[in-house]
Amino acid sequence: MPELAANNKATSSLMNKLSGKRGGKVTTGDLLKKESISPEDVKALDCITEDYLCDPSANEYKIDFTRFKIRDVDSGMTLFEICKSEDDEEEEPPASGDNTAGRFVRYQFSPEFLRLKQVGATVEFTIGEKPVEKFRMIERHFFRNKLLKEFDFDFGFCIPNSKNTVEHIYDFPTLDSATMQEMVNSPWQTKSDSFYFVDDKLIMHNKAEYSYNYGSHSHPLSQRPLPTRPNVASKK
């Protein structure tokens, strides 16, 4: 029996090493020590990241998102749309040391957004001079560090110097009324990490925070129709 227990302990230790876990958990600090970060690494996190897991300079493929639209799949209603202007495209890169520029955004939706079942997110993006292999996004949404939903989308192969448009369908989790009301009453405590990989290596990391009290004035959830243009706070 002692020998069996020792073998089990050794096996457990080996599994922890293989999974990159320490004490059963992976932290932002653990991943920041790694030379490269994989999809499996970010999936092992059990809370929102405390910092960005890569620098903007990691985007060696010059991937640039130029348009973003959200629509309700059931009704076809456009809920939000934004395009990068020519002035934005001509802007100089952020100063060295500015780690959040263009990588953080706040969205403000009405409470009814939480009742949606499916949302289509259309993104338009351009590619630099390098071909992009296995372009993939993993997006993880948390409310007070409780994982609500993880989305995993493949963009596939993108040819150099191309403009691409793709729509991904988000199947929203079913939330009970108490959780929805708590989210409405707790603006900006719903957060997401969006991780972008090329050939299984992290090259971009964006963050977002969400408020669901647009037009609610902290009142309970109502049956008002969704606004066609939810507010979006300025980027950091």
Side-chain angles (χ1 to χ4, degrees), residues 60-73:
E60 60 184 281
Y61 301 91
K62 309 298 181 186
I63 299 170
D64 186 23
F65 294 99
T66 56
R67 177 172 167 263
F68 181 57
K69 182 180 80 169
I70 300 175
R71 70 179 181 93
D72 174 22
V73 171

Side-chain angles (χ1 to χ4, degrees), residues 112-130:
E112 285 68 35
F113 189 88
L114 296 172
R115 298 186 184 276
L116 298 180
K117 296 179 180 179
Q118 281 189 325
V119 164
T122 299
V123 291
E124 182 179 275
F125 59 97
T126 58
I127 301 294
E129 296 181 353
K130 291 184 177 182

Side-chain angles (χ1 to χ4, degrees), residues 53 138-139 162 236:
L53 297 184
I138 296 175
E139 188 169 286
S162 62
K236 290 184 180 179

Side-chain angles (χ1 to χ4, degrees), residues 85-123:
S85 68
E86 292 182 3
D87 291 338
D88 291 333
E89 293 177 1
E90 293 174 0
E91 282 182 358
E92 294 183 1
S96 177
D98 186 357
N99 201 37
T100 65
R103 303 205 291 171
F104 175 87
V105 66
R106 276 183 159 183
Y107 296 97
Q108 189 170 27
F109 296 108
S110 76
E112 285 68 35
F113 189 88
L114 296 172
R115 298 186 184 276
L116 298 180
K117 296 179 180 179
Q118 281 189 325
V119 164
T122 299
V123 291

Side-chain angles (χ1 to χ4, degrees), residues 18 40 83 90-91 102 108 130 153 173 188 208 234:
L18 289 174
E40 290 72 24
C83 297
E90 293 174 0
E91 282 182 358
Q108 189 170 27
K130 291 184 177 182
F153 298 121
W188 317 126
S234 59

Side-chain angles (χ1 to χ4, degrees), residues 23-42:
K25 290 185 179 181
V26 174
T27 67
T28 299
D30 292 333
L31 297 189
L32 286 173
K33 295 175 184 177
K34 303 191 65 169
E35 289 187 8
S36 65
I37 296 173
S38 70
E40 290 72 24
D41 288 328
V42 301

